[in-house]
Amino acid sequence: MKVLVVGSGGREHAIIASVAKSSRVDKIYCAPGNAGIGQMAECVPIGAMEFDRLVAFAREQAIDFTIVGMDDPLVGGIVDAFEAEGLKVFGPRKNAAILEGSKAFSKDLMKKYHIPTAGYETFDDPKQALAYLETAKMPIVLKADGLALGKGVLICNTLEEAKAGVKEIMEDKKFGEAGNHMVVEEFMTGREVSVLSFVDGKTIQIMSSAQDHKRAQDGDQGLNTGGMGTFSPSPFYTKDVDEFCKKYIYQATVDAMAAEGRPFVGVIFFGLMLTEEGPKVLEYNARFGDPEAQVVLPRMKNDIIDVMEACVEGRLDTIDLSFEDNAAVCVVLASDGYPVAYEKGLPISGLENFNGKEGYYCFHAGTKLSDDGKIVTNGGRVLGITAKGADLKEARANAYQATEWVEFANKYMRHDIGKAIDEA
Ligand code: AMP
Ligand code: GLY
């Protein structure tokens, strides 16, 4: 079987590492990929948004199965483009990817189907938003409606900050067209958990839980990033939380999408907050999390192609999804200065230290091959170092040890990934 993966980050590297384990797969392509992915798959220089070229490539190479890792192409309708040509593809269609693509859509869906989430109002007129904020309780959360690389969320402590936020999002269009509409949401407190799931339109199966670390600096200080590290499972995702979410959130979301004529096939990522009143949905994503995939997929026992194919064929109920009874931690090695300004093109050494090391993974996020064939840094997040362990503490010690195996000049990481487990 020939498989094409669309994307170029650490998440796609983790997906490809799982695909490579499948006995059914003979050849893997990745568009556009990166230097690390290039060691496991043939990278094809086609961008993730170039649907016509991707479809033409899949037809010419007789690709049997395509997996879309990234949100932008999914929200843009890549699955519809592949299906229109009779190509088998894993991911939600455009009318279902809106679950991630529009926060206003997902909030309205949750309200209509009584799925627990923070209270909210939506606005398309900045004047009305400002008037609303005058009487609203602070802190408050402002969200640009569309995709904004996970950055279109502002948490405002005072009315002044909230007013400045409305200007940034709706008038200055700091997050582009995503700011034409804005959601104003009640501020919630609690621990965050990421739950990924496979969905076939009607059946949902939950993967092992995870927790991300979104802020750039230790102690959850600094700016929001794409994610600086993860651990799985989350000790805070207890049996009670699981039962509550199964009863009120997971199947309810899948059923709601089907009832709206938007059956969801692919991965739903539930960003949950465990509040005093119980678990609530912070956000939905229509794909694997990055870097959640880097700690969840290495622990999955199933052949990933079997599971994804069952989703596409609407028979996920025949799959017995299972995970190893261990733990994994991923520490992101970033370029110092991320997420604002940072140097790129710096040589990376020590990558060979991961060869043959069972339970250790070096997932490439932002790397490329230089003109003279060396692997160099090519982004804010450069590598995701994942290690397994018998439990979270062991996995964390292993992951931090492995962060010392690779070097590049402006290497930066958080030193407290997984520290929360000490409080569990
Ligand atoms: P989102 O992209 O919606 O997940 O928001 C990004 C981050 O902002 C979340 O992971 C939370 O840390 C924070 N956040 C979003 N919505 C809220 C909320 N209603 N209350 C508190 N924090 C929030
Ligand atoms: N790690 C959060 C995300 O992938 O959106």
Side-chain angles (χ1 to χ4, degrees), residues 11 100 150 194 212 214 226-227 230 269 283 285 287-292 381:
R11 165 184 48 210
E100 170 165 7
S194 303
D212 193 6
K214 288 202 169 112
T230 37
F269 168 141
E283 64 162 345
N285 293 314
R287 36 116 192 132
F288 286 97
D290 187 343
E292 281 87 345
R381 291 190 293 175

Side-chain angles (χ1 to χ4, degrees), residues 42-344:
E42 185 174 330
C43 292
V44 190
I46 306 178
M49 295 305 286
E50 295 182 86
F51 299 172
D52 290 347
R53 290 185 65 205
L54 289 170
V55 166
F57 175 82
R59 292 197 63 141
E60 278 157 25
Q61 298 297 328
I63 300 293
D64 299 292
F65 199 72
T66 297
I67 302 165
V68 185
M70 293 169 72
D71 44 0
D72 279 349
L74 289 169
V75 171
I78 190 172
V79 167
D80 307 64
F82 271 71
E83 284 182 348
E85 294 291 323
L87 293 161
K88 216 173 198 181
V89 55
F90 177 80
R93 290 181 188 151
K94 185 174 183 168
N95 75 352
I98 191 175
L99 191 62
E100 170 165 7
S102 166
K103 295 198 188 282
F105 171 86
S106 67
K107 293 299 288 188
D108 290 346
L109 186 88
M110 286 186 266
K111 188 189 242 177
K112 181 169 172 188
Y113 293 91
H114 311 291
I115 297 166
T117 188
Y120 73 103
E121 297 287 335
T122 51
F123 297 95
D124 49 21
D125 175 359
K127 279 197 205 73
Q128 283 174 8
L130 288 170
Y132 173 81
L133 287 170
E134 290 287 347
T135 57
K137 194 166 147 246
M138 300 293 145
I140 201 149
V141 185
L142 309 184
K143 298 186 175 184
D145 178 44
L147 283 186
L149 290 170
K151 297 191 183 77
V153 175
L154 300 178
I155 295 178
C156 306
N157 290 307
T158 63
L159 180 60
E160 281 59 47
E161 276 178 46
K163 283 180 173 168
V166 173
K167 185 166 178 297
E168 265 180 48
I169 292 177
M170 300 192 86
E171 289 171 359
D172 303 346
K173 296 273 160 72
K174 191 171 167 195
F175 308 108
E177 297 304 305
N180 288 347
H181 305 279
M182 190 181 71
V183 174
V184 177
E185 198 174 276
E186 167 202 355
F187 177 76
M188 302 189 286
T189 49
R191 202 171 280 284
E192 288 184 41
V193 182
S194 303
V195 177
L196 310 178
S197 65
F198 288 105
V199 185
D200 74 354
K202 15 178 231 299
T203 301
I204 178 164
Q205 293 215 37
I206 300 304
M207 297 180 228
S208 185
S209 62
Q211 185 177 320
D212 193 6
H213 299 66
K214 288 202 169 112
R215 301 295 197 95
Q217 294 162 18
D218 283 9
D220 289 329
Q221 301 296 308
L223 294 171
N224 257 326
T225 69
M228 294 299 292
T230 37
F231 57 83
S232 172
S234 164
F236 307 102
Y237 189 81
T238 59
K239 208 159 169 286
D240 284 352
V241 171
D242 184 57
E243 274 169 17
F244 181 96
C245 295
K246 284 189 171 134
K247 198 163 171 194
Y248 298 108
I249 296 179
Y250 303 143
Q251 190 67 49
T253 301
V254 175
D255 292 347
M257 290 299 282
E260 293 293 309
R262 301 169 182 273
F264 193 105
V265 176
V267 169
I268 300 183
F269 168 141
F270 297 85
L272 303 174
M273 190 172 265
L274 310 181
T275 74
E276 298 242 298
E277 297 161 31
K280 292 188 183 182
V281 177
L282 270 174
E283 64 162 345
Y284 292 117
N285 293 314
R287 36 116 192 132
F288 286 97
D290 187 343
E292 281 87 345
Q294 290 91 313
V295 284
V296 172
L297 288 179
R299 300 181 48 238
M300 189 169 94
K301 289 189 189 168
N302 305 68
D303 181 318
I304 193 170
I305 297 292
D306 288 346
V307 181
M308 290 182 163
E309 200 175 53
C311 289
V312 173
E313 294 174 359
R315 48 174 184 78
L316 185 59
D317 58 343
T318 64
I319 296 285
D320 182 12
L321 195 64
S322 69
F323 286 79
E324 293 171 2
D325 186 21
N326 56 10
V329 169
C330 174
V331 179
V332 169
L333 301 184
S335 306
D336 196 12
Y338 172 71
V340 183
Y342 45 85
E343 208 179 329
K344 293 199 274 192

